[in-house]
């Protein structure tokens, strides 16, 4: 983008004032957290999903989670690629500059791009088992996810949105990939929580994101880290996450069906109008 | 990853063998290849290690430099990882090697992101002003399958070998800072590597999973699970790699196997490192020509 000389730009490196605010701000937050009703760890936040909203892309989807995470995803069907071999899935994950709760990071910053590339690789890991790439030799399928607001569980929402967008674009898939995130607070014997909000995720001692193909009951991605403990704890977290994915699946299917019905209705109306004008 | 071309018959041979717990080189499903670990191979670094796991050859060098602590953690030092794969094979030169390198570096960041892996507070010199930054540089000399495991073993050995000089930063009345190094060259900080995890890669081949897959076995496996295990058996990170999907039951089994194998790997590694340490200056250096 060309430099805008009329606008006053701040210093190259800016730091959020909250860092220097001292302990007063932290105490307030702790009180809020302790005073709030402890939420049920197995409760799923409300999920809103809609497919087929962008007219320019072949397939698109918008997923919004109750905690405030908003992801918009667009997918393009097979385009010819120069290199021979089976089809390839190219994923891109971008965060809007205003997506995070903290200071606005400069959009071109290296750290941002690293994080985006990592998230894009994770997205590709999650989607590849679901797409029938063997049916598209010498072709490239592109998926681009844009995170509009980060309210926690961003990667999980992006996986669901990307799978919906690919399905909406008409790409042959084995199943929809449903993403779910969990986290475990730092308290010693705390239990895992489904779909953490952004402050919970920031304070968490361990995080886990997984993607599941529910109809086949196959896990397509697992990404977790932190002080989780023995394998039994991680196994329990996995089971909770898989259950969460199964519960979200009907909502995503419904949104696909509705998008298909809307498309049919629009096509029928268009055909009727064309017939009326020509007649 | 460097790829190897296998015919269908060879793949079938490997898959059928693994179902019977027999791998091509005679190992069982949970056996590692013969590994050689040597520390202090590069003299210009604060700590270094070389690991040869079968055909895979990894060299890790750690340089400790003074820097400013991060804003969110003013009383801790930190680690920076950089992985270089370009010397490996023609297809890994340029972009391909860079992608693999960043992938491995991100995995290492995630494995070490758990708070108590390395005692970062001991790396602090003056809070908010000076701290030690450990630059961990990993060189992939040869890729023979299972690079994550070898890299994590090499990083642990190099961290064990790291010697950081004891430094005090004194401030004069005018505000000029002076760095004071102790006179004794052997007076240094050593890191406690008891909590440093090791990565165990479990590759799913057919219905069973194998530890320490060779390049040929990796070509037959559609999905692998990377688990990082500490010496006490706690799992600190999980990642699935590969184009295929995994059954939830297999993931549970793989985690159990990973914990078991990881614990025995840690005991063996610690024994070797302690032995090497106890030999002191009299140990024979093998280096690169042995």
């Amino acid at each position: 983008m060309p430099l805008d000389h009329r606008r006053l730009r701040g210093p190259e490196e800016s730091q959020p004032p909250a860092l220097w605010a001292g302990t007063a701000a932290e105490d307030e937050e702790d009180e809020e957290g302790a005073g709030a009703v402890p939420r049920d760890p197995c409760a799923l936040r409300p999920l809103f999903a809609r497919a087929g909203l962008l007219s320019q892309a072949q397939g698109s989807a918008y997923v919004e989670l109750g905690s405030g995470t908003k992801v918009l995803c667009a997918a393009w069907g097979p385009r010819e690629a120069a290199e021979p071999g089976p089809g390839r899935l190219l994923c891109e994950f971008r965060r809007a500059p205003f997506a995070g709760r903290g200071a606005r990071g400069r959009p071109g910053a290296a750290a941002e791009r690293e994080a985006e590339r990592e998230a894009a690789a994770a997205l590709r890991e999650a989607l590849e088992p679901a797409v029938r790439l063997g049916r598209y030799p010498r072709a490239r399928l592109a998926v681009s996810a844009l995170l509009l607001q980060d309210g926690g569980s961003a990667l999980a929402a992006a996986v669901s949105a990307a799978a919906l967008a690919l399905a909406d674009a008409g790409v042959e898939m084995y199943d929809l990939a449903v993403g779910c995130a969990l986290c475990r607070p730092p308290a010693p014997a705390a239990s895992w929580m489904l779909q953490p909000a952004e402050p919970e995720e920031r304070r968490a001692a361990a995080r886990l994101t997984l993607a599941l193909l529910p109809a086949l009951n196959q896990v397509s991605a697992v990404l977790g880290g932190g002080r989780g403990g023995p394998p039994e704890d991680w196994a329990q977290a996995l089971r909770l996450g898989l259950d969460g994915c199964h519960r979200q699946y009907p909502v995503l299917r419904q949104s696909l069906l509705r998008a298909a019905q809307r498309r049919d209705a629009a096509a029928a109306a268009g055909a009727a109008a064309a017939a009326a004008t020509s007649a | 990853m460097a790829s190897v071309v296998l015919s269908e018959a060879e793949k079938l041979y490997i898959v059928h063998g693994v179902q019977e717990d027999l791998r091509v080189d005679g190992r069982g499903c949970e056996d590692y290849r013969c590994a050689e670990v040597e520390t202090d191979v590069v003299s210009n670094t604060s700590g270094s290690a070389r690991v040869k796991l079968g055909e895979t050859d990894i060299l890790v060098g750690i340089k400790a430099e003074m820097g400013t602590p991060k804003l969110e953690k003013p009383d801790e030092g930190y680690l920076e990882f950089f992985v270089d794969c370009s010397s490996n094979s023609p297809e890994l030169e340029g972009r391909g090697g860079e992608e693999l390198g960043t992938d491995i570096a991100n995995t290492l960041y995630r494995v070490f992101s758990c708070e108590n892996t390395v005692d970062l507070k001991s790396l602090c010199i003056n809070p908010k002003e000076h701290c030690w930054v450990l630059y961990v540089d990993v060189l992939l000399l040869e890729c023979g399958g299972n690079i994550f495991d070898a890299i994590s073993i090499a990083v642990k050995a190099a961290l064990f070998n790291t010697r950081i000089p004891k430094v005090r930063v004194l401030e004069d009345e005018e505000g000029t800072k002076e760095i004071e190094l102790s006179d004794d060259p052997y007076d240094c900080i050593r890191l406690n590597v008891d909590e440093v995890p090791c990565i165990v890669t479990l590759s799913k081949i057919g219905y069973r999973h194998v530890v320490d897959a060779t390049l040929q076995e990796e070509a037959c496996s559609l999905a692998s699970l990377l688990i990082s295990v500490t010496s006490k058996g706690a799992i600190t990170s999980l990642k699935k790699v590969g184009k295929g999907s995994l059954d939830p039951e297999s993931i549970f089994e793989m985690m159990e196997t990973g914990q078991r194998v990881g614990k025995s790997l840690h005991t063996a590694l610690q024994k070797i490192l302690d032995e090497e340490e106890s030999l002191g200056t009299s140990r024979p250096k093998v280096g690169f020509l042995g």
Side-chain angles (χ1 to χ4, degrees):
Chain A
M1 264 174 61
L3 282 178
D4 186 355
H5 295 282
R6 285 162 295 180
R7 191 176 295 190
L8 275 174
R9 282 184 304 149
E12 286 288 310
E13 272 205 37
S14 63
Q15 294 146 21
L19 266 177
W20 306 97
T23 47
E26 279 176 35
D27 286 337
E28 252 183 63
E29 224 182 82
D30 277 333
E31 264 184 48
E32 252 182 57
V37 176
R39 50 171 280 237
D40 176 14
C42 309
L44 268 185
R45 299 194 187 264
L47 168 78
F48 172 80
R50 186 175 153 135
L53 48 145
L54 294 176
S55 56
Q56 295 289 340
Q58 277 185 286
S60 53
Y62 171 75
V63 166
E64 183 172 336
L65 288 178
S67 55
T69 308
K70 301 175 170 67
V71 183
L72 179 63
C73 194
W76 288 269
R79 288 186 187 150
E80 192 173 332
E83 55 279 326
R88 293 191 326 153
L89 180 67
L90 299 169
C91 289
E92 201 198 343
F93 181 88
R94 296 200 13 248
R95 294 175 68 101
F98 41 78
R101 208 188 75 130
R104 171 193 186 273
R106 286 171 58 232
E112 278 273 327
R113 268 182 292 152
E114 273 299 315
E116 286 175 3
R117 233 175 293 164
E118 214 188 317
L123 203 56
R124 187 160 156 253
E125 281 287 332
L127 292 172
E128 252 186 323
V131 178
R132 294 188 71 184
L133 286 172
R135 296 278 288 164
Y136 301 105
R138 281 195 73 138
R140 259 189 321 195
L141 302 163
V143 176
S144 165
L146 177 62
L147 181 68
L148 297 168
Q149 181 177 326
D150 186 2
S153 323
L155 185 59
V159 166
S160 310
L164 264 184
L166 276 172
D168 190 46
V171 170
E172 288 192 38
M173 296 172 74
Y174 290 111
D175 195 2
L176 276 181
V178 184
C180 189
L182 298 103
C183 86
R184 182 194 221 184
S191 60
W192 289 85
M193 277 197 305
L194 269 179
Q195 289 188 324
E198 207 252 334
E200 287 164 350
E201 215 174 61
R202 219 172 349 120
R203 284 197 294 250
R207 298 174 194 89
L208 180 67
T209 304
L210 39 94
L212 174 74
L213 308 177
L216 306 171
N217 199 26
Q218 293 276 310
V219 174
S220 68
V222 182
L223 191 62
R227 210 167 358 117
E232 293 81 38
D233 289 358
W234 287 97
Q236 185 208 2
L238 265 172
R239 285 200 192 91
L240 193 58
L242 294 178
D243 183 51
C245 289
H246 277 290
R247 278 148 65 191
Q248 289 179 28
Y249 189 46
V251 179
L252 299 173
R253 282 179 62 181
Q254 267 294 313
S255 71
L256 259 189
L257 279 171
R258 284 212 195 100
Q261 282 163 358
R262 253 179 281 129
R263 208 178 297 135
D264 286 341
T277 49
S278 65
Chain B
M1 216 81 72
S3 60
V4 65
V5 179
L6 279 187
S7 67
E8 286 301 319
E10 281 173 311
K11 282 190 191 163
L12 214 58
Y13 179 69
I14 292 177
V15 171
H16 284 181
V18 167
Q19 309 308 302
E20 310 280 334
D21 198 20
L22 278 174
R23 291 157 78 171
V24 175
D25 44 9
R27 288 183 281 157
C29 285
E30 298 186 9
D31 296 334
Y32 268 88
R33 284 171 285 185
C34 193
E36 293 169 25
V37 176
E38 191 183 350
T39 57
D40 208 20
V41 282
V42 182
S43 44
N44 284 339
T45 54
S46 314
S48 60
R50 177 160 176 247
V51 168
K52 244 177 109 61
L53 188 65
E55 297 279 323
T56 308
D57 206 341
I58 310 281
L59 177 64
V60 170
I62 299 187
K63 269 184 134 34
E65 291 181 11
M66 280 179 58
T68 8
K70 294 197 171 142
L71 282 171
E72 311 87 48
K73 308 243 171 91
D75 56 350
E76 288 179 2
Y78 55 97
L79 282 88
E80 292 271 344
F81 294 97
F82 176 71
V83 179
D84 186 17
C85 312
S86 52
S87 55
N88 203 332
S89 68
E91 65 201 31
L92 283 189
E93 267 177 324
R95 291 306 297 278
E98 212 184 292
E99 273 180 34
L100 180 60
T102 35
D103 189 24
I104 301 177
N106 287 336
T107 311
L108 285 172
Y109 274 119
R110 195 179 37 258
V111 165
F112 280 82
S113 68
C114 182
E115 285 121 28
N116 45 5
T117 36
V118 174
D119 186 14
L120 295 171
K121 294 210 162 40
S122 64
L123 295 177
C124 177
I125 306 171
N126 285 347
K128 281 197 189 162
E129 286 166 33
H130 301 105
C131 71
W132 285 111
V133 181
L134 294 179
Y135 289 100
V136 182
D137 297 305
V138 179
L139 258 92
L140 190 63
L141 298 173
E142 197 179 335
C143 175
N146 203 20
I147 45 182
F148 284 97
D149 291 26
I151 290 177
S152 70
I153 296 175
V155 168
K156 179 166 182 179
L159 283 171
F160 181 78
N161 178 243
T162 306
R163 286 164 169 75
I164 306 176
K166 285 209 179 116
V167 146
R168 280 194 311 152
V169 180
L170 305 167
E171 197 165 320
D172 284 351
E173 301 89 37
E174 294 109 32
T176 48
K177 296 200 168 36
E178 233 182 63
I179 300 178
E180 189 189 284
L181 210 58
S182 78
D183 288 330
D184 181 8
Y186 291 106
D187 180 24
C188 44
I189 314 175
R190 298 290 297 274
L191 293 169
N192 181 1
V193 295
D194 286 337
E195 296 284 330
V196 171
C198 268
I199 301 179
V200 177
T201 308
L202 297 130
S203 309
K204 178 130 190 258
I205 300 182
Y207 293 114
R208 299 189 64 149
H209 46 270
V210 299
V211 169
D212 193 20
T214 57
L215 274 180
Q216 288 81 6
E217 286 165 348
E218 278 180 0
C220 301
S221 139
L222 279 178
S224 320
L225 193 65
L226 260 77
I227 301 178
S228 69
V229 189
T230 60
S231 52
K232 301 195 177 70
I235 293 187
T236 60
S237 91
L238 275 183
K239 181 173 181 202
K240 176 229 144 210
V241 291
K243 287 202 261 258
S245 55
L246 288 171
D247 210 59
E249 287 306 319
S250 344
I251 300 186
F252 301 145
E253 279 172 23
M254 283 184 182
M255 285 201 291
E256 295 289 322
T257 313
Q259 183 199 32
R260 209 176 29 231
V261 169
K263 273 161 95 163
S264 58
L265 180 66
H266 273 287
T267 30
L269 181 63
Q270 197 58 48
K271 200 169 80 125
I272 294 289
L273 288 175
D274 290 335
E275 259 181 51
E276 209 189 10
E277 182 81 13
S278 65
L279 286 176
T281 44
S282 63
R283 82 177 153 110
K285 290 208 178 213
V286 177
F288 286 85
L289 300 175

